[in-house]
């Protein structure tokens, strides 16, 4: 019905017209107080109210009222009408913008509408509107850059940031906060250093938001020592600064450093919050500190009166699961005062796969109302790990039947402030031939050193030779080969991956670091792995 109504509101050469529609309301049924204040003011107030309440019937009725009173040419009302439609159906808003000359909007109206489309995730239409603007201000650029970052379109955020600088628009704290976050998410160290230098050159004052963002950025770009140096140089009067440092240390597997930082925090009389304890529990989980994890979980509610949330229960499940204490992890889930979410069940399923317990793995799967590709793969892996090939094949058959495809791993590496991305077996890169030549030579050399592929968890009951082939061209190996191709001997190489690195790649990277005498850093979905002289900072516990 609403779709029929909106289709009858259209733009002609003379004016917007409304045709009669079959509904329980009409334009005349909407009551407005007479004359004082003006109809225009009342319409503005109504749209502002309906935008917050998401009252679709009232918005459509107000649209009709706007036309009846002859305000269809009011750009301010049209922009408000668009944002009101955005609150419940952005296709209605797009249709209205298609029919009106929105390029005549003022900057404020443009910014509001662009922000609404970005919030809905309609990035391409927001970009289209941005290009139509005859004049842009700082807020216009910040809105676009921030929207790209929130929607994980980091490359576009970098492109727009450069365009902003070339347009002689001076970035402010909000700009830097967004672009620093983008660097952190991608792990782009060269870009991070460049943006930090711009921040310093422009003498932007570091408030607690920027301080926290910088610490987080360098932590996630693999430079934990730089993050520590920034932490020591800025003010520590806000809990977010401490949280960034504790979580950064946790990500690098430096549990004792995280614990020591928390002790400093307590000594400085800074009250921790729920995020602080997520960082501490994560640090304990990555290093197998089960007893200390228990103590922090108890301390949180006993001393600081912080009620455990899903994230804290999830961290405890992960802590026990990684340590192989699956029954204790399951007891945590069963004892939760709130319903466990999909993240908790997946953490438990992952632990069941790691420690080869298909029975409890089936329990986890039964609790997941909607399985995605990762859940199927984890369960199939669990069966494969105990050689239950028929059960594994049943899972794979179910995936095929439901049209579920395995999520592909992606790895990327930064070179010359450009991000180069790879998938397993990828041959799309402009330097593919050279990359594969480097990788094949490296594989041969590592085999000569005695490397044996770890084929335990390749998903099918196939020959060892076929399993080895499935492991050879994983995305992180291709990214590393590109890094070797482009960097000088002895220099450090850093690779990022969207999934958890596999056991085979982990073992392979250790030996590569020893043979090439190079430091290799891999940031996977869980944590950082620093490979040097055949060893990894995770201690093979991840």
């Amino acid at each position: 019905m609403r779709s029929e109504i909106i289709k009858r509101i259209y733009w002609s050469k003379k004016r917007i017209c409304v045709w009669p529609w079959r509904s329980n309301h009409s334009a005349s049924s909407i009551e407005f107080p007479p004359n004082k204040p003006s109809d225009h003011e009342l319409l503005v107030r109504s749209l502002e109210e309906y935008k917050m309440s998401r009252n679709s019937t009232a918005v459509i009725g107000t649209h009709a009222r706007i036309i009846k009173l002859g305000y269809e040419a009011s750009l301010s009302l049209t922009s408000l009408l668009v944002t009101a439609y955005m609150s419940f159906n952005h296709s209605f808003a797009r249709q209205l913008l298609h029919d009106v000359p929105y390029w005549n909007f003022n900057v404020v109206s443009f910014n509001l509408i662009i922000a609404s489309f970005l919030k809905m995730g309609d990035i391409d239409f927001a970009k289209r509107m941005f290009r139509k603007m005859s004049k842009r201000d700082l807020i216009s650029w910040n809105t676009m850059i921030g929207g790209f970052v929130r929607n994980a379109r980091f490359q576009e955020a970098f492109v727009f940031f450069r365009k902003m600088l070339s347009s002689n628009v001076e970035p402010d704290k909000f700009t830097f906060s967004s672009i620093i976050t983008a660097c952190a998410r991608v792990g782009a160290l060269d870009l991070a250093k460049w943006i930090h230098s711009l921040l310093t050159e422009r003498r932007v004052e570091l408030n607690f938001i920027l301080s926290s963002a910088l610490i987080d950025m360098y932590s996630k770009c693999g430079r934990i020592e730089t993050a520590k140096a920034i932490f020591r140089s800025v003010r520590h009067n806000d809990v977010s600064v401490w949280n960034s440092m504790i979580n950064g240390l946790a990500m690098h597997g430096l549990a004792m450093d995280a614990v020591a930082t928390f002790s400093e925090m307590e000594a400085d009389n800074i009250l921790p919050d729920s995020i602080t304890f997520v960082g501490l529990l994560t640090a304990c989980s990555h290093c197998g500190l089960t007893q200390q994890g228990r103590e922090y979980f108890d301390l949180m509610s006993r001393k600081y009166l912080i009620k455990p949330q899903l994230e804290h229960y999830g961290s405890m499940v992960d802590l026990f699961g990684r340590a192989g204490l699956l029954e204790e992890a399951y007891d945590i889930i069963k004892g939760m005062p709130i319903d466990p979410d999909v993240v908790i069940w997946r953490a438990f399923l992952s632990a069941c796969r790691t420690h080869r317990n298909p029975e409890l793995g089936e329990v986890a799967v039964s609790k997941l109302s909607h399985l995605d590709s990762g859940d199927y793969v984890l369960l199939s892996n669990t069966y494969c790990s105990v050689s239950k090939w028929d059960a594994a094949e049943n899972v794979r058959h179910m995936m095929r039947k439901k049209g579920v495809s395995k999520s592909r791993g992606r790895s990327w590496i930064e070179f010359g402030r450009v991000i180069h991305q790879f998938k397993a077996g990828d041959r799309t890169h402009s330097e593919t031939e050279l990359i594969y030549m480097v990788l094949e030579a490296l594989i041969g050399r590592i085999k000569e050193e005695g490397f044996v592929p770890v084929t335990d968890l390749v998903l099918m009951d196939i020959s060892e030779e076929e399993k080895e082939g499935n492991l050879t061209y994983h995305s992180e190996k291709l990214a590393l080969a590109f890094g070797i191709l482009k960097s000088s001997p002895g220099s450090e190489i850093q690779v990022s991956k969207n999934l958890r690195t596999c056991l085979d790649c982990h073992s392979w990277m250790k030996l590569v670091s020893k043979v090439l005498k190079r430091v290799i850093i891999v940031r996977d979905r869980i944590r950082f792995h620093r490979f040097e002289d055949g060893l990894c900072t995770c201690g093979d516990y991840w």
Side-chain angles (χ1 to χ4, degrees):
M1 176 63 72
R2 289 172 186 159
S3 179
E4 291 176 9
I5 293 170
I6 201 66
K7 285 177 182 176
R8 293 186 175 98
I9 301 176
Y10 67 93
W11 180 263
S12 70
K13 290 184 178 179
K14 293 184 178 180
R15 60 179 294 163
I16 293 178
C17 302
V18 181
W19 288 18
W21 55 73
R22 288 170 293 179
S23 69
N24 295 325
H25 71 271
S26 65
S28 60
S29 69
I30 301 173
E31 298 296 330
F32 287 85
N35 297 328
K36 299 279 184 175
S38 70
D39 288 330
H40 188 279
E41 290 173 318
L42 288 170
L43 290 167
V44 169
R45 291 179 192 174
S46 298
L47 288 173
E48 290 284 6
E49 177 187 340
Y50 301 149
K51 184 172 64 175
M52 300 301 295
S53 65
R54 301 167 65 90
N55 189 333
S56 59
T57 301
V59 172
I60 294 169
T62 304
H63 189 170
R65 182 73 172 171
I66 288 171
I67 295 159
K68 182 178 179 180
L69 293 172
Y71 286 117
E72 66 270 21
S74 169
L75 294 177
S76 60
L77 281 176
T78 303
S79 63
L80 274 174
L81 190 58
V82 171
T83 54
Y85 275 136
M86 287 289 293
S87 69
F88 63 89
N89 191 318
H90 79 291
S91 64
F92 288 4
R94 288 189 68 161
Q95 184 175 327
L96 180 59
L97 285 169
H98 179 73
D99 293 334
V100 302
Y102 64 82
W103 46 88
N104 290 326
F105 287 164
N106 60 32
V107 174
V108 174
S109 297
F110 257 118
N111 291 342
L112 286 171
I113 295 170
I114 287 172
S116 297
F117 276 100
L118 289 169
K119 187 176 181 180
M120 295 290 293
D122 197 339
I123 313 298
D124 294 330
F125 199 80
K127 285 168 66 177
R128 175 180 161 187
M129 292 200 68
F130 183 84
R131 287 194 294 268
K132 287 282 188 180
M133 296 178 74
S134 59
K135 183 181 179 182
R136 303 173 183 120
D137 61 9
L138 176 62
I139 295 173
S140 309
W141 289 99
N142 282 351
T143 301
M144 287 302 300
I145 293 169
F148 285 135
V149 174
R150 284 190 299 276
N151 286 278
R153 305 259 292 247
F154 306 117
Q155 287 291 74
E156 288 167 285
F158 296 137
V159 169
F160 266 64
F161 181 69
R162 289 190 177 99
K163 286 182 179 178
M164 178 185 181
L165 295 178
S166 63
S167 300
N168 295 318
V169 178
E170 191 69 17
D172 66 359
K173 293 178 182 179
F174 296 102
T175 323
F176 279 111
S177 179
S178 293
I179 207 67
I180 285 171
T181 300
C183 287
R185 294 286 295 276
V186 175
L189 181 60
D190 289 342
L191 278 167
K193 289 177 178 177
W194 172 59
I195 288 164
H196 190 188
S197 69
L198 290 177
L199 188 73
T200 305
E201 287 170 14
R202 284 161 169 75
R203 298 182 179 180
V204 177
E205 183 183 357
L206 291 183
N207 56 18
F208 70 88
I209 296 174
L210 283 175
S211 297
S212 302
L214 282 173
I215 294 167
D216 182 63
M217 178 181 75
Y218 278 111
S219 297
K220 289 178 177 174
C221 287
R223 292 296 183 270
I224 192 64
E225 293 303 324
T226 305
K228 287 181 182 178
I230 291 172
F231 175 74
R232 288 191 293 268
S233 68
V234 299
R235 296 175 65 187
H236 303 117
N237 57 343
D238 191 273
V239 66
S240 63
V241 179
W242 292 90
N243 286 348
S244 289
M245 192 69 259
I246 290 171
N247 278 276
L249 292 165
M251 188 186 304
H252 284 264
L254 301 172
M256 299 317 297
D257 286 359
V259 168
T261 302
F262 178 67
S263 297
E264 289 179 42
M265 181 179 178
E266 288 187 306
D268 281 2
N269 295 316
I270 302 294
L271 285 176
D273 61 12
S274 61
I275 299 172
T276 314
F277 284 97
V278 170
L280 287 168
L281 294 174
T282 300
C284 291
S285 177
H286 285 172
C287 296
L289 304 178
T290 53
Q291 184 55 40
Q292 281 186 278
R294 285 190 182 97
E295 291 171 2
Y296 281 127
F297 188 76
D298 175 64
L299 182 71
M300 178 173 59
S301 54
R302 177 175 51 80
K303 181 177 179 180
Y304 293 105
L305 304 180
I306 298 172
K307 186 178 179 180
Q309 299 169 12
L310 280 169
E311 294 86 349
H312 303 104
Y313 287 109
S315 296
M316 291 301 291
V317 170
D318 190 55
L319 172 70
F320 290 131
R322 286 176 189 275
L325 304 173
L326 298 181
E327 292 295 341
E328 291 191 48
Y330 192 30
D331 287 341
I332 287 283
I333 295 174
K334 291 187 290 186
M336 288 174 58
I338 48 180
D339 291 335
D341 65 357
V342 65
V343 176
I344 289 176
W345 284 116
R346 282 176 182 156
F348 185 59
L349 177 58
S350 179
C352 292
R353 189 269 294 169
T354 300
H355 297 286
R356 308 186 180 196
N357 190 322
E359 290 76 21
L360 284 177
E362 288 171 351
V363 171
V365 168
S366 71
K367 300 295 184 179
L368 291 165
S369 57
H370 299 289
L371 298 180
D372 71 7
S373 62
D375 304 320
Y376 286 107
V377 170
L378 281 173
L379 183 59
S380 180
N381 265 332
T382 306
Y383 287 130
C384 288
S385 69
V386 292
S387 299
K388 291 188 175 182
W389 306 116
D390 289 341
E393 179 52 35
N394 287 338
V395 175
R396 305 293 287 181
H397 176 72
M398 194 183 304
M399 290 178 69
R400 290 191 293 270
K401 185 178 178 181
K402 294 186 176 183
V404 178
S405 58
K406 181 183 175 184
S407 297
R408 294 192 68 182
R410 291 183 294 106
S411 295
W412 57 93
I413 185 170
E414 182 188 21
F415 180 74
R417 295 184 191 169
V418 176
I419 307 299
H420 298 262
Q421 187 169 283
F422 301 89
K423 294 179 181 178
D426 200 344
R427 289 189 173 271
T428 60
H429 196 277
S430 59
E431 298 186 70
T432 288
E433 295 304 320
L434 288 173
I435 292 169
Y436 273 83
M437 283 177 60
V438 171
L439 182 56
E440 295 289 356
L442 189 56
I443 289 170
R445 186 171 175 188
I446 297 304
K447 277 189 176 180
E448 290 175 1
E449 295 292 325
F451 176 74
V452 178
V454 183
T455 59
D456 289 0
L457 293 180
V458 175
L459 298 179
M460 295 161 284
D461 183 14
I462 55 179
S463 70
E464 290 299 311
E465 185 178 349
E466 288 176 291
K467 287 183 179 183
E468 185 177 335
N470 286 331
L471 297 167
T472 301
Y473 304 116
H474 276 191
S475 61
E476 56 264 59
K477 291 180 179 177
L478 290 169
L480 177 64
F482 177 78
I484 293 169
L485 176 67
K486 291 295 183 180
S487 60
S488 56
S491 61
E492 193 173 283
I493 298 175
Q494 181 166 317
V495 172
S496 297
K497 185 172 182 177
N498 66 325
L499 302 176
R500 187 178 179 184
T501 192
C502 74
L503 183 59
D504 177 76
C505 286
H506 191 271
S507 301
W508 190 78
M509 293 281 182
K510 286 197 297 183
L511 196 51
V512 170
S513 71
K514 183 177 182 179
V515 168
L516 297 187
K517 294 182 170 40
R518 299 181 77 162
V519 172
I520 300 168
I521 298 173
V522 176
R523 186 185 91 171
D524 69 8
R525 184 176 58 84
I526 302 297
R527 56 162 296 159
F528 274 91
H529 300 266
R530 181 185 172 90
F531 303 97
E532 186 173 9
D533 197 27
L535 300 173
C536 179
T537 51
C538 74
D540 296 337
Y541 185 92
W542 88 98

